[in-house]
Amino acid sequence: MLAALSAYRFLIGIGIGAEYPAGAVAAAENTEDPGIKSGTQHMLVALATNTMIDWGFVISAFTPLVLLWIFGENHLRIVWRGSLALGTIPPLLVLFWRLRMHEPERFRKESMKHVGWKDYPVWLIVKRYWLRFAAISLVWFIYDFIAYPFGIYSSTITTTIIGDSAPLTTSLGWNVVINLFYMPGCIIGAVLVDRVKPRMLMTISLLLQAVFGKGTGFAMSGAYTYFATPAHIAGFTIMYGLFLSFGEMGPGNCTMILASKSSPTAFRGVFYGGAAAIGKIGALAGTWAFPAIIDRFPAGPKQDSGPFWIGSGLAVLSALITFFFIPEVSEDHMTNEDSKFREYLTANGFDVSLMGLKYEGMIESHIAKDKAEVEEVVRDASSEENDKKGTETV
């Protein structure tokens, strides 16, 4: 069964791997349309991407709990099968919506879809963007290396505190509460990101995640002995939740904003998709490494608190990479980046007239023109019919 579920996850990953960057990039590009209010561009990206993902974490944790309430612990087969079945509904709804979508105007103008491989300016792109791509990808790798294992194993951690004798509903319930702490972080981060700017907010949040007071990060390890008891499970959940919340306020929101807006439209999907794929490799590596990391620490409280030390150290490393190697993203950054990229290509001998979806644009233009002509004929016919009726009445 485990092998079958792993195979299914692989197939799901192919679909999500295509939709994930395309959807995030489309959301980012639409935030710079003329009708968007100034000072809300980055917030809209955060709300459309990371906030929705975090709601998915909460709902995915809550769904098995509800099914467990309904069917009980004697029917766990229904619980896990029902959880997977309900997970198919959102993608099916998105499918119908996506089939009706058109390419954004920005992509039609700046795309390199029709540039042949011989003419494609690969070296020029690598020379200009390799450093920011490497930095964003590494930060995303580190963040997912921390975030996904801490989220996946949250129920395991709470179980070690409340004990194996506690009902499964209790463990799943605390897991839902922990996942809910993602939400304040991503929402507060969305509100702040346009004011503080993505790179700076990400740097500050990572440092807060690592060294916040006596509660989370490095200090979480010191406080773990106190909190790791059934009597203090609520306090542990709050401190653990703050550790996750600061992660969502900064890197959770800002990695997506930085990845989607740090490159020109011509290859934005590839840039974002590559960085996201490296991030998910970090999630895979962290998930597999998490049990081994725990085993390396001495038995007892240190064994469970050890990952917090490593997570905090990686947060500091990620903050340094963000601050020194990732450029800041300001308002209307994609529009300015497209202009600078065209100037850069022109200065290096590339023919920018090859850019754009000219053929598709011509087809849509003709369709629109034909539609307008048909509507005009219908109006004329309707007008003639009305005139005829008026004459007959007279």
Side-chain angles (χ1 to χ4, degrees), residues 67 85 89 95 120 148 169-170 218 223 253 282 285 295 322 337 374 387:
L67 293 175
I89 296 175
L95 175 63
Y120 209 91
Y148 277 80
T169 52
T170 302
F218 287 125
N253 283 341
D295 291 340
T322 301
E337 190 63 39
V374 170
D387 291 344

Side-chain angles (χ1 to χ4, degrees), residues 67-120:
L67 293 175
L68 188 61
W69 285 336
I70 296 172
F71 297 104
E73 294 192 22
N74 294 326
H75 301 284
L76 293 180
R77 179 176 295 183
I78 299 176
V79 173
W80 75 262
R81 289 181 185 274
S83 299
L84 290 179
L86 291 172
T88 64
I89 296 175
L92 289 174
L93 295 175
V94 170
L95 175 63
F96 292 113
W97 176 61
R98 288 291 268 159
L99 289 173
R100 300 175 62 86
M101 286 186 67
H102 299 287
E103 296 289 0
E105 181 62 32
R106 186 185 304 275
F107 181 78
R108 297 179 199 174
K109 179 182 176 183
E110 303 293 341
S111 172
M112 286 187 172
K113 180 180 178 180
H114 297 310
V115 177
W117 282 109
K118 292 183 179 179
D119 299 321
Y120 209 91

Side-chain angles (χ1 to χ4, degrees), residues 181-203:
F181 275 94
Y182 284 123
M183 301 314 303
C186 65
I187 293 173
I188 293 172
V191 173
L192 293 176
V193 68
D194 284 284
R195 297 173 176 82
V196 183
K197 302 306 178 189
R199 185 192 67 164
M200 187 56 64
L201 178 62
M202 185 162 164
T203 303

Side-chain angles (χ1 to χ4, degrees), residues 25 46 85 249 271:
V25 165
M249 186 175 77
F271 186 99

Side-chain angles (χ1 to χ4, degrees), residues 168-235:
L168 184 57
T169 52
T170 302
S171 177
L172 292 180
W174 282 112
N175 188 36
V176 173
V177 174
I178 288 174
N179 277 279
L180 276 170
F181 275 94
Y182 284 123
M183 301 314 303
C186 65
I187 293 173
I188 293 172
V191 173
L192 293 176
V193 68
D194 284 284
R195 297 173 176 82
V196 183
K197 302 306 178 189
R199 185 192 67 164
M200 187 56 64
L201 178 62
M202 185 162 164
T203 303
I204 294 171
S205 299
L206 284 166
L207 294 176
L208 285 173
Q209 186 184 32
V211 298
F212 176 74
K214 289 292 284 183
T216 62
F218 287 125
M220 183 67 176
S221 298
Y224 190 87
T225 304
Y226 174 78
F227 286 119
T229 60
H232 301 109
I233 181 64

Side-chain angles (χ1 to χ4, degrees), residues 64-345:
L65 177 60
V66 173
L67 293 175
L68 188 61
W69 285 336
I70 296 172
F71 297 104
E73 294 192 22
N74 294 326
H75 301 284
L76 293 180
R77 179 176 295 183
I78 299 176
V79 173
W80 75 262
R81 289 181 185 274
S83 299
L84 290 179
L86 291 172
T88 64
I89 296 175
L92 289 174
L93 295 175
V94 170
L95 175 63
F96 292 113
W97 176 61
R98 288 291 268 159
L99 289 173
R100 300 175 62 86
M101 286 186 67
H102 299 287
E103 296 289 0
E105 181 62 32
R106 186 185 304 275
F107 181 78
R108 297 179 199 174
K109 179 182 176 183
E110 303 293 341
S111 172
M112 286 187 172
K113 180 180 178 180
H114 297 310
V115 177
W117 282 109
K118 292 183 179 179
D119 299 321
Y120 209 91
V122 176
W123 172 241
L124 294 177
I125 291 172
V126 171
K127 187 167 64 172
R128 183 176 174 87
Y129 293 100
W130 75 269
L131 181 58
R132 69 182 69 175
F133 175 78
I136 291 172
S137 299
L138 183 56
V139 167
W140 207 332
F141 179 96
I142 294 172
Y143 173 68
D144 283 0
F145 186 91
I146 299 170
Y148 277 80
F150 273 102
I152 291 172
Y153 288 99
S154 58
S155 59
T156 304
I157 294 173
T158 54
T159 299
T160 63
I161 297 175
I162 63 178
D164 295 332
S165 60
L168 184 57
T169 52
T170 302
S171 177
L172 292 180
W174 282 112
N175 188 36
V176 173
V177 174
I178 288 174
N179 277 279
L180 276 170
F181 275 94
Y182 284 123
M183 301 314 303
C186 65
I187 293 173
I188 293 172
V191 173
L192 293 176
V193 68
D194 284 284
R195 297 173 176 82
V196 183
K197 302 306 178 189
R199 185 192 67 164
M200 187 56 64
L201 178 62
M202 185 162 164
T203 303
I204 294 171
S205 299
L206 284 166
L207 294 176
L208 285 173
Q209 186 184 32
V211 298
F212 176 74
K214 289 292 284 183
T216 62
F218 287 125
M220 183 67 176
S221 298
Y224 190 87
T225 304
Y226 174 78
F227 286 119
T229 60
H232 301 109
I233 181 64
F236 170 83
T237 301
I238 292 172
M239 295 307 168
Y240 188 16
L242 287 172
F243 181 83
L244 299 176
S245 193
F246 281 124
E248 294 306 296
M249 186 175 77
N253 283 341
C254 297
T255 48
M256 296 185 178
I257 296 172
L258 293 168
S260 62
K261 295 195 172 190
S262 292
S263 62
T265 304
F267 58 92
R268 181 170 294 125
V270 176
F271 186 99
Y272 185 101
I278 293 172
K280 294 305 165 283
I281 294 173
L284 175 65
T287 303
W288 281 102
F290 198 89
I293 290 171
I294 293 176
D295 291 340
R296 290 287 182 178
F297 284 87
K302 288 185 178 180
Q303 197 166 57
D304 287 330
S305 64
F308 288 96
W309 286 98
I310 294 175
S312 299
L314 290 174
V316 173
L317 173 62
S318 187
L320 294 173
I321 295 171
T322 301
F323 185 78
F324 289 107
F325 296 104
I326 299 178
E328 188 59 274
V329 174
S330 58
E331 190 165 308
D332 295 325
H333 187 85
M334 290 186 293
T335 302
N336 298 330
E337 190 63 39
D338 285 340
S339 299
K340 293 177 181 178
F341 183 59
R342 277 182 171 265
E343 293 172 1
Y344 169 71
L345 292 178

